[in-house]
Amino acid sequence: MIKFPKDFLWGSAASAPQTEGAAAMGGKSPSTWDKWFELNPELFNQNQGPEITSDVYHQYREDVKRMKEIGMNSYRTSIAWTRLLPDGKTLNEEAVRFYRDYFTAMLEEGVEPIINLFHFDMPWWLMEQGGWEIRASVEHFAYYAKVAFEQFGDLVKRWTTFNEPLVHIECGYLLGCHYPAKNDWRLMVQVGYHTLMAHVRAVEEFRKCQIEHGEIGIILNVSPAYARSQSPEDLLAKEVSDNRSVYSFLDPCVLGTVPEKLVELLKQFDLLPFVEETDEKLIAENTVDFIGLNYYQPTRVKAPDHPQTPPQGFRDLVAGYDWPEKKMNPYRGWEIYPEALYDVALMMKEKYHNIPWYVSENGMGVADEERFLTEEGEIQDDYRIEFMKEHLEQLHKGIEAGSNCFGYHTWTFVDCWSWLNGYRNRYGFYRVDIEDNCKRTMKLSGKWYKQLSEQNGF
Ligand code: BG6
């Protein structure tokens, strides 16, 4: 039997834009996702937009009971900036009532709300001015954070600023799958830097608010790099990849410094962002209390086959590597490699002074899950249980080795809407029938999770 530490957090994560729905109700203003869908619905799988998603705005009270039903003692979701402050300045009382009621309901059922501020949902009014491209975004975000802490700090003790900042940065400015879908390295770095400063300023506001027993952190996607070989070129590819995708936010958020190697690379490729004089001090003084790490897949890297010399950019130092032994989740196209969780646990212990951290997302998205429906209407998602077990074994090994991990959250609780993918891949413990008022039905994995949390292990 594998046992986890006392008071271990068992739960799931989700976000406002992926679950709430009511996108144009209750005084909410549009986010980039609402607008992008209005402008280009054809980009979204089966034209599934963010208006209704999983209807949590109307079904949250029953949902909270469901959380308890499957043994969750904690749940992370986000506040929609566009709901709380529709124009960035004016407090929406309807939003305050909704979130207060939602978080209170969780507390009444013994489910700790862990609340995040930004989950890819940039307000449209701000995007029209340039979004994270402009320095003013930092202060807009700091104000929003302050209002959220003041309104809900009595109910919420664990806060996080951003979910996976690298995703809106890279997807929005390099890969084309988040608005504004630009392809511009220099802008991407500037957007990344403003995001970091927005985080830092939010932490500063948090400290000023002095929330009793309050703690603040950030949720980062971690995809550690594994090199094809031990050759110096392949190892350099790993170093470059980790600096870009792992240390770029972990270092400043935990250690209060930007990695030297990353600065060196940005300088080499003439990509250094504009900074303000007091930024370095602000970063150093506003480190976090805890970290959430979303782990889905590793990064496999090698040295590029035909790099330019001297290198002109990151692409001349690191390339993707197709590891022949990989095991895949074919629906999402992501490699399944639980062993990385052990490595991540040790990295947190050794490189990040064993700061408290938790697995804030881990999960398996599968398409067409109706294939696994029994006559009684239950989805037999044994693959999901297997996936969780394998990851938990590795995590447990890391904890045994001394890593300070305090919880394991899955993605996700009820099936939810996923950006351009809509409802294609399902991750939940509860199936959501989008044809039938988002009716929820527990899957086999929900039963398993209940047992897991009751026994604090398996
Ligand atoms: C994480 C995000 O990257 O992965 C979620 O925080 C996302 O917002 C989840 O939904 C699963 O990825 P996807 O793209 O399959 O929805």
Side-chain angles (χ1 to χ4, degrees):
M1 171 110 190
I2 291 182
K3 276 272 182 198
F4 285 84
K6 196 171 161 282
D7 300 326
F8 204 66
L9 291 190
W10 297 107
S12 293
S15 73
Q18 294 177 269
T19 57
E20 271 176 21
M25 293 168 75
K28 185 181 165 298
S29 72
S31 72
T32 47
W33 290 97
D34 302 319
K35 269 286 171 190
W36 204 16
F37 181 65
E38 195 184 305
L39 298 170
N40 297 101
E42 73 286 355
L43 294 177
F44 293 71
N45 176 52
Q46 296 186 352
N47 281 9
Q48 286 162 347
E51 316 100 306
I52 302 177
T53 63
S54 297
D55 196 34
V56 162
Y57 193 74
H58 299 108
Q59 306 196 26
Y60 66 94
R61 288 208 186 88
E62 299 77 27
D63 268 357
V64 168
K65 296 205 170 73
R66 291 186 186 100
M67 291 175 194
K68 188 168 180 192
E69 198 181 342
I70 58 166
M72 286 167 46
N73 59 20
S74 47
Y75 181 63
R76 170 170 66 98
T77 185
S78 65
I79 293 172
W81 187 350
T82 48
R83 195 180 290 291
L84 191 64
L85 296 173
D87 62 0
K89 299 183 215 97
T90 320
L91 186 64
N92 174 9
E93 292 296 345
E94 217 174 316
V96 174
R97 278 195 297 278
F98 163 63
Y99 288 118
R100 287 198 67 84
D101 201 48
Y102 189 4
F103 304 155
T104 305
M106 281 188 225
L107 290 168
E108 284 171 0
E109 295 293 353
V111 178
E112 181 192 341
I114 299 178
I115 300 303
N116 179 48
L117 294 172
F118 187 89
H119 200 120
F120 314 156
D121 49 344
M122 166 62 71
W124 184 253
W125 60 264
L126 183 51
M127 182 50 89
E128 281 185 305
Q129 300 169 32
W132 298 118
E133 292 172 32
I134 57 165
R135 177 76 194 204
S137 60
V138 172
E139 287 313 307
H140 285 302
F141 184 75
Y143 178 70
Y144 157 51
K146 173 176 171 286
V147 171
F149 303 145
E150 286 168 357
Q151 294 299 320
F152 313 113
D154 57 329
L155 303 174
V156 177
K157 298 303 164 192
R158 265 186 267 227
W159 288 88
T160 58
T161 55
F162 281 84
N163 176 76
E164 302 189 347
L166 280 170
V167 170
H168 74 253
I169 297 164
E170 295 196 341
C171 292
Y173 289 85
L174 202 61
L175 306 172
C177 44
H178 280 210
Y179 198 84
K182 294 186 182 173
N183 186 310
D184 184 324
W185 273 84
R186 192 181 301 275
L187 261 185
M188 179 180 75
V189 174
Q190 193 65 57
V191 159
Y193 186 71
H194 287 155
T195 301
L196 173 64
M197 291 316 298
H199 157 81
V200 163
R201 280 282 295 112
V203 173
E204 189 180 40
E205 291 300 332
F206 184 81
R207 303 284 178 228
K208 283 190 211 153
C209 281
Q210 299 196 332
I211 294 174
E212 209 184 337
H213 305 302
E215 290 184 4
I216 191 146
I218 185 168
I219 307 289
L220 302 172
N221 45 317
V222 68
S223 191
Y226 294 89
R228 169 183 55 181
S229 76
Q230 297 299 304
S231 76
E233 294 79 10
D234 283 349
L235 289 178
L236 175 66
K238 171 184 161 52
E239 191 191 4
V240 172
S241 175
D242 280 341
N243 269 279
R244 174 176 153 181
S245 310
V246 184
Y247 313 148
S248 51
F249 272 84
L250 263 175
D251 275 24
C253 294
V254 179
L255 309 175
T257 50
V258 178
E260 273 174 33
K261 179 72 187 173
L262 184 61
V263 176
E264 185 193 300
L265 288 163
L266 295 176
K267 207 184 232 166
Q268 184 180 352
F269 303 134
D270 197 19
L271 291 171
L272 280 177
F274 293 106
V275 305
E276 290 188 0
E277 220 176 288
T278 50
D279 287 354
E280 204 175 334
K281 187 161 173 276
L282 269 179
I283 296 173
E285 286 174 354
N286 291 288
T287 53
V288 294
D289 302 314
F290 71 94
I291 285 286
L293 294 178
N294 296 351
Y295 174 68
Y296 290 92
Q297 57 169 340
T299 308
R300 303 272 170 200
V301 296
K302 63 175 185 182
D305 295 330
H306 307 289
Q308 292 204 49
T309 40
Q312 301 298 304
F314 282 78
R315 65 185 165 278
D316 293 320
L317 296 176
V318 46
Y321 168 59
D322 193 11
W323 187 40
E325 287 163 54
K326 68 181 188 287
K327 179 173 145 200
M328 293 294 288
N329 168 0
Y331 311 100
R332 193 58 185 82
W334 287 347
E335 183 184 336
I336 300 179
Y337 187 67
E339 290 84 345
L341 255 193
Y342 173 73
D343 297 336
V344 164
L346 286 201
M347 172 184 77
M348 294 310 282
K349 180 178 171 215
E350 285 153 15
K351 185 165 158 55
Y352 296 104
H353 59 67
N354 218 6
I355 185 172
W357 70 283
Y358 79 118
V359 176
S360 42
E361 284 181 31
N362 179 232
M364 190 181 179
V366 173
D368 306 320
E369 280 198 314
E370 321 63 76
R371 285 173 293 161
F372 309 113
L373 262 176
T374 60
E375 275 175 18
E376 293 71 42
E378 184 182 81
I379 286 180
Q380 301 296 293
D381 53 347
D382 307 77
Y383 41 86
R384 183 163 290 116
I385 299 173
E386 218 29 59
F387 181 97
M388 289 188 283
K389 276 186 179 166
E390 287 173 358
H391 284 80
L392 282 167
E393 275 170 20
Q394 294 295 328
L395 179 63
H396 185 260
K397 220 174 113 190
I399 296 173
E400 293 277 281
S403 189
N404 199 0
C405 174
F406 62 84
Y408 175 81
H409 276 191
T410 65
W411 187 268
T412 184
F413 163 52
V414 296
D415 287 343
C416 70
W417 179 81
S418 161
W419 321 113
L420 296 183
N421 273 334
Y423 275 88
R424 178 163 42 212
N425 297 314
R426 306 300 187 102
Y427 288 84
F429 289 128
Y430 284 86
R431 174 171 172 72
V432 167
D433 188 345
I434 50 174
E435 307 295 332
D436 183 11
N437 295 317
C438 294
K439 189 172 151 224
R440 280 86 155 121
T441 327
M442 199 196 290
K443 302 179 194 175
L444 183 65
S445 57
K447 288 185 184 159
W448 183 80
Y449 205 73
K450 182 181 171 61
Q451 245 178 38
L452 171 74
S453 100
E454 279 175 1
Q455 300 173 350
N456 203 31
F458 65 99

